[in-house]
Amino acid sequence: MGKFSFVLVKDIANIPDVITKLKSGELDVAVIDPAFLISVFHLSVAAHTSVGALECNRLKTSNINSEILYTLSPSRTISQAFATFGPKVDSKALVFGAYSDDGSEAALEKLRKYVSSIAQGEIVGVDQLTQYTDSDRIRKTYKIKDEELRVGSLEDAIVCKIS
């Protein structure tokens, strides 16, 4: 079973260029705004679900890179998933993800090199993504009510909604 590798890029000087390349289909990666990711686990659940859909030949979108955004989204509209979870001109950082057959360290290094060729910013560990999390926007996007948070965490509520 294949896996996703992820990197986080902060302080990106050319986000409009990245968005243009993404929209034109030039990029062979998933690009996600980390403001809408509550944790690495949240991202991992979406990645695992997307890989499962690929392996079972049940993608709901055209490719694995768009599938992860679709999986993250509470909406069942791919355009809404892109609008919410995709990069925006005012994004503070971006998560880049690439699918590979093995998810090895070599695949991660290949992703780092690829991303450094398209994004002018600092590549850091994806474990830093919570620095860019916007919990209020996440609660609004996923329609998380206070009652849900009385029985579990925000992460619990979101993971239940996407899995």
Side-chain angles (χ1 to χ4, degrees):
M1 182 181 219
K3 293 183 179 180
F4 263 98
S5 296
F6 294 100
V7 295
L8 175 67
V9 183
K10 65 180 189 175
D11 304 325
I12 302 173
N14 66 330
I15 286 183
D17 295 336
V18 172
I19 293 170
T20 299
K21 288 178 182 179
L22 184 65
K23 286 183 178 178
S24 71
E26 290 178 52
L27 302 183
D28 190 23
V29 290
V31 185
I32 305 164
D33 184 341
F36 292 91
L37 297 172
I38 196 68
S39 66
V40 174
F41 182 65
H42 177 201
L43 179 61
S44 296
V45 169
H48 183 76
T49 301
S50 299
V51 169
L54 176 70
E55 299 286 330
C56 294
N57 201 25
R58 291 191 178 146
L59 290 179
K60 293 183 174 91
T61 66
S62 61
N63 63 57
I64 190 71
N65 296 324
S66 58
E67 190 75 14
I68 193 165
L69 276 83
Y70 182 79
T71 302
L72 283 166
S73 180
S75 167
R76 292 299 105 200
T77 308
I78 189 61
S79 60
Q80 185 62 42
F82 278 117
T84 303
F85 293 90
K88 294 154 209 62
V89 176
D90 64 345
S91 295
K92 305 285 186 232
L94 295 174
V95 173
F96 291 82
Y99 173 81
S100 65
D101 290 331
D102 61 2
S104 66
E105 189 62 37
L108 181 58
E109 187 55 36
K110 182 179 175 185
L111 175 62
R112 283 187 186 115
K113 286 181 182 175
Y114 181 72
V115 169
S116 66
S117 74
I118 57 175
Q120 299 167 1
E122 182 182 352
I123 297 175
V124 296
V126 75
D127 58 325
Q128 295 182 34
L129 74 81
T130 57
Q131 294 176 26
Y132 303 96
T133 298
D134 186 333
S135 297
D136 292 335
R137 288 169 69 188
I138 290 172
R139 281 188 68 177
K140 184 177 178 184
T141 299
Y142 286 99
K143 299 177 181 154
I144 306 292
K145 296 182 178 11
D146 290 337
E147 294 80 25
E148 292 176 83
L149 299 178
R150 286 191 200 114
V151 295
S153 68
L154 182 55
E155 180 183 62
D156 294 339
I158 292 166
V159 169
C160 286
K161 289 180 183 268
I162 68 167
S163 55

